[in-house]
């Protein structure tokens, strides 16, 4: 295992084949991906990205599910 996004703790993590997202203990949604299908981060041929970005900063999330090509998350106000 490799530590990524150190300094943060997660309540829930969801992973697809080429991307991952997680909800932090402060209910932020953070994701990373290889960029092949529009994920947040891009990957160069010689390196793999493990940099996470906050999605919709200011919005709080309570659930996340990853699929093959996409991810869905539910906010604390029950919006998708």
């Amino acid at each position: 295992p490799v530590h990524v996004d150190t300094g943060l703790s997660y309540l829930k993590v969801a992973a697809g084949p080429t991307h991952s997202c997680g909800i932090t203990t402060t209910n932020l949604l953070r994701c990373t991906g290889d960029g092949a299908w529009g994920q947040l981060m891009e990957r160069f041929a010689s390196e793999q990205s493990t940099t996470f970005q906050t999605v919709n900063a200011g919005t709080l999330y309570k659930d996340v599910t990853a699929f093959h090509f996409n991810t869905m998350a539910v906010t604390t106000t029950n919006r998708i």
Side-chain angles (χ1 to χ4, degrees):
V2 175
H3 286 280
V4 295
D5 217 17
T6 57
L8 293 174
S9 296
Y10 285 81
L11 299 170
K12 185 166 186 175
V13 175
T18 59
H19 70 288
S20 299
C21 292
I23 298 173
T24 68
T25 54
T26 57
N27 295 94
L28 296 177
L29 180 64
R30 293 179 54 81
C31 297
T32 190
D34 73 0
W37 298 98
Q39 298 92 331
L40 290 174
M41 301 302 295
E42 293 183 17
R43 182 177 70 182
F44 297 100
S46 62
E47 63 184 75
Q48 182 175 356
S49 174
T50 55
T51 304
F52 281 73
Q53 289 186 356
T54 299
V55 178
N56 296 329
T59 301
L60 302 178
Y61 292 86
K62 65 179 183 178
D63 199 13
V64 62
T65 302
F67 301 97
H68 192 79
F69 294 112
N70 62 339
T71 298
M72 296 191 71
V74 179
T75 69
T76 56
T77 59
N78 295 317
R79 295 181 156 255
I80 296 177

